[in-house]
Amino acid sequence: MEKTVKLTIRLSPEDMALLKSHTAKSRLSQSAYLRSLMRGYVPKAYPPEAFFALMEQMNEGNGQITLETIKQLQETVTAPEEIE
């Protein structure tokens, strides 16, 4: 979707600090973070590098863990949570 509308908002320094903190943790831009919230989802914090190393080890394993299980685990850790 083409983004053609510019929105300017005013925030308190505290709210801006919160926004910056949340976007840094999720590794999303401020715009992407706010779009996700508007669509009813709270982005999760980006997993630590150890998570991806573990996922890679599991993927290279001897077949005891299926690819589907690995995908479900990754989805659980990274997918945004719906706002209730």
Side-chain angles (χ1 to χ4, degrees), residues 52-69:
F52 295 104
L54 176 62
M55 296 298 288
E56 188 173 315
Q57 287 177 358
M58 290 171 57
N59 195 30
E60 293 172 353
N62 59 6
Q64 293 178 348
I65 299 174
T66 66
L67 184 58
E68 182 63 29
T69 301

Side-chain angles (χ1 to χ4, degrees), residues 9-24 30 33-34 37:
I9 61 171
R10 296 186 185 276
L11 300 173
S12 68
E14 295 82 12
D15 287 341
M16 188 62 194
L18 275 173
L19 180 59
K20 285 183 178 182
S21 173
H22 290 304
T23 57
Q30 291 172 2
Y33 188 87
L34 292 172
L37 290 174

